[in-house]
Amino acid sequence: MPPRRGVTGRSKEPRKRFAEELQLLRAQKGDSLRKLGEVLGWDASLFGKMESGQTLGSPEVVEALGQHYGAGEWLLTLWELALGDPTQFLAQYRRYMVLEQEAMSLWHYAPSAPPGLLQTAAYAREALASAFKGQELDQQVEARIGRRKLLEGDDAPPFRVILSEAVLRTRLRDTQEWREQLEYLAEAAERPNITLHVLPFSAGPHGLMYAAVMFLRLLDGRTVAYTENYDRGELIEENGRVEPLQRTYDAVRDLALSPAESKKFIMRMLEEVPCEPST
């Protein structure tokens, strides 16, 4: 039999498909980028970047485009799929990202930085700026922030995170951006599906001092782990290796502050951050 051909000939990768559909919708409407900007009230360059795949834009922009093109909820659905597209992540992370989207529950230990699922855009940008520049940096920041949708909504999976005190004391260069990151953590701790612990320095040495660890409980009942240090990451799917890591995680959790005490700890950190002077 001859190989099966695609029905539309367009990309099956959600991010690329979203950009292609935007190009097609505008061509069918007969709009120029300039006219689109004038009608919708955003700079025309934003729509050009969305059509070239440089950015996905915000939900507000996509909703406006959907109304303008008569695409309704379909365009917003395609945008949401593009946000979770694993092809936008570096190759070594893609398998983990696919499993993360399928997880029934998640656990995380963060030794030095907030987990990507709880980072603000400003934090993600500063954290990624040493490895990426220009357009690639923009794409990686957008991809990381897009992951936060996993924890939003009524059907969001349970997420337990332990933050080393070092996470809360390693500030961003910009004071206001650091305040916003702490406020985001405090807000996240209030969500019913998120349990946040702070591991104070006073807990002393422990078994997870040198690496970030993530656990995902999957639909088939398996639990997989992902460990990451400063230069490499590893997805661990063998039960014989995952179980000892889980026991170590549980031991570290027992050393951490309760969720209520952890929230108070974050609020104290916020009090130490000077407010920007009013203008």
Side-chain angles (χ1 to χ4, degrees):
M1 295 178 62
R4 183 178 177 181
R5 298 179 60 186
V7 176
T8 65
R10 294 194 286 278
S11 177
K12 295 180 181 179
E13 295 180 5
R15 188 181 182 105
K16 291 183 179 178
R17 180 62 176 269
F18 178 68
E20 290 174 356
E21 294 297 339
L22 289 178
Q23 295 171 35
L24 181 62
L25 287 168
R26 185 168 61 83
Q28 292 173 340
K29 188 80 170 180
D31 289 341
S32 65
L33 289 172
R34 181 177 179 179
K35 180 180 178 181
L36 196 60
E38 291 173 350
V39 171
L40 298 185
W42 280 278
D43 192 281
S45 64
L46 171 61
F47 301 113
K49 290 178 179 178
M50 292 174 71
E51 291 185 12
S52 65
Q54 295 179 52
T55 183
L56 292 174
S58 68
E60 293 78 15
V61 174
V62 178
E63 287 176 356
L65 285 168
Q67 293 177 5
H68 180 68
Y69 293 135
E73 291 294 314
W74 170 78
L75 191 62
L76 189 59
T77 298
L78 190 58
W79 175 80
E80 290 176 340
L81 290 172
L83 277 179
D85 182 6
T87 63
Q88 64 191 312
F89 298 101
L90 297 179
Q92 64 264 36
Y93 301 127
R94 289 177 189 169
R95 167 70 173 159
Y96 172 80
M97 295 304 171
V98 169
L99 295 176
E100 184 180 78
Q101 292 293 320
E102 300 172 354
M104 295 177 61
S105 57
L106 308 90
W107 304 266
H108 188 109
Y109 170 69
S112 57
L117 289 168
L118 296 180
Q119 289 182 11
T120 62
Y123 193 103
R125 180 168 296 278
E126 188 164 325
L128 293 166
S130 62
F132 304 99
K133 305 296 179 185
Q135 178 182 330
E136 191 175 14
L137 174 60
D138 293 340
Q139 290 178 347
Q140 289 300 315
V141 169
E142 195 168 58
R144 179 167 294 186
I145 298 308
R147 291 170 60 203
R148 299 192 317 196
K149 289 186 68 65
L150 178 68
L151 300 179
E152 299 172 0
D154 295 337
D155 59 348
F159 178 53
R160 183 183 296 274
V161 57
I162 305 172
L163 304 178
S164 167
E165 184 175 338
V167 173
L168 304 175
R169 294 196 179 276
T170 307
R171 300 185 176 191
L172 294 177
R173 296 181 181 89
D174 185 286
T175 299
Q176 183 58 30
E177 290 177 350
W178 177 237
R179 169 173 284 278
E180 291 169 359
Q181 175 62 71
L182 289 178
E183 289 173 342
Y184 189 80
L185 291 173
E187 179 274 327
E190 297 288 344
R191 298 187 212 169
N193 64 309
I194 296 178
T195 304
L196 188 150
H197 300 272
V198 172
L199 182 70
F201 289 146
S202 59
H206 56 84
L208 297 178
M209 291 174 60
Y210 305 112
V213 181
M214 290 77 86
F215 297 95
L216 308 175
R217 183 166 177 262
L218 306 178
L219 291 170
D220 61 8
R222 291 185 303 129
T223 298
V224 301
Y226 185 83
T227 62
E228 187 174 48
N229 57 27
Y230 71 95
D231 68 344
R232 68 187 298 267
E234 180 185 10
L235 180 65
I236 303 171
E237 302 189 60
E238 301 87 353
N239 190 56
R241 296 181 61 196
V242 172
E243 282 192 0
L245 275 173
Q246 283 186 289
R247 290 195 292 270
T248 302
Y249 182 91
D250 289 342
V252 171
R253 183 190 60 195
D254 291 343
L255 296 172
L257 301 178
S258 70
E261 293 170 329
S262 297
K263 174 68 181 299
K264 292 178 181 178
F265 195 102
I266 294 174
M267 298 310 293
R268 288 198 298 272
M269 293 293 98
L270 260 170
E271 291 173 0
E272 294 179 9
V273 180
C275 293
E276 291 292 315
S278 57
T279 56

